[in-house]
Each structure stands twice: as C-alpha cells, then as structure tokens.
Amino acid sequence: MAAEIIEFPERGRDRLVSSIARLETIVREVERIVADEPEAGVDRLLAIMEHMGDRLVDLATLVLDEESKLQARKAFISLSDKIAETREAFEQVGDRTHT
C-alpha cells in the first residue's frame, strides 16, 4: 500500500456499513497479495495488518461500550508493537544475510 486513499463516509450510508466495507477491501488486498505476489514481502503484509488494525479500532468505536473500546485500543496498540518488533527482526535477519 504505497499510498492511502482518504475515504469520506458516503452520504446516507450507515458508518458501520462503511467501516465494514473498508475492512473487506483490506482483506481482499491481503488475499490478492498472497495469491498473486507472494514475493511482495513481509513488510508489505505487515503494513496491511497495521492498516487493518486501524480499521478494526474504528469499527470498535462504533459498536462497543466505552470499557470495551479502551480494551480494543490497548489490544491494537499491542498489535502495533508486535508488528514493529517483527519488522525489526526481519530487518536484522536481512542485514545478516547481506553481509
């Protein structure tokens, strides 16, 4: 995902429906990459996972109570941290294979 398109809610559509549609778009992108571009690399898939996490947090704010929203945010912060750690690990492995 080299560039992100700014999406505005469609008029007359429920925000929940719009959020789910955006999430489905991300899932289709992951499926396409895995099927058509397996060499795309872990970094690209991790970026998509981050984007999906952001979309899930947006969706959670629409359907969860305040306590659950806070738990969801904490979970996705943890996910982002794990994604960053995974990137670092792959970069270190890549550095070692190039030396």
Side-chain angles (χ1 to χ4, degrees):
M1 295 177 95
E4 186 172 328
I5 297 172
I6 298 173
E7 297 177 6
F8 295 96
E10 295 180 31
R11 291 182 188 184
R13 287 190 71 190
D14 181 53
R15 285 181 56 201
L16 180 59
V17 173
S18 294
S19 293
I20 291 170
R22 287 191 300 270
L23 189 56
E24 288 173 343
T25 300
I26 295 168
V27 170
R28 282 193 301 276
E29 175 70 5
V30 169
E31 290 170 343
R32 186 192 64 74
I33 290 171
V34 170
D36 299 340
E37 303 175 41
E39 72 284 351
V42 174
D43 190 54
R44 185 163 177 199
L45 290 175
L46 290 173
I48 292 171
M49 286 175 60
E50 283 178 317
H51 188 65
M52 186 180 296
D54 291 341
R55 296 286 64 119
L56 287 170
V57 169
D58 289 346
L59 187 57
T61 62
L62 297 173
V63 297
L64 299 177
D65 61 39
E66 289 304 315
E67 183 177 332
S68 298
K69 287 179 194 179
L70 185 58
Q71 290 174 346
R73 282 189 190 108
K74 287 179 183 178
F76 286 108
I77 288 171
S78 177
L79 175 62
S80 280
D81 292 344
K82 294 295 182 196
I83 289 171
E85 290 172 15
T86 303
R87 270 202 180 100
E88 281 182 34
F90 275 101
E91 287 174 5
Q92 290 174 358
V93 168
D95 290 345
R96 280 189 244 147
T97 60
H98 290 109
T99 57

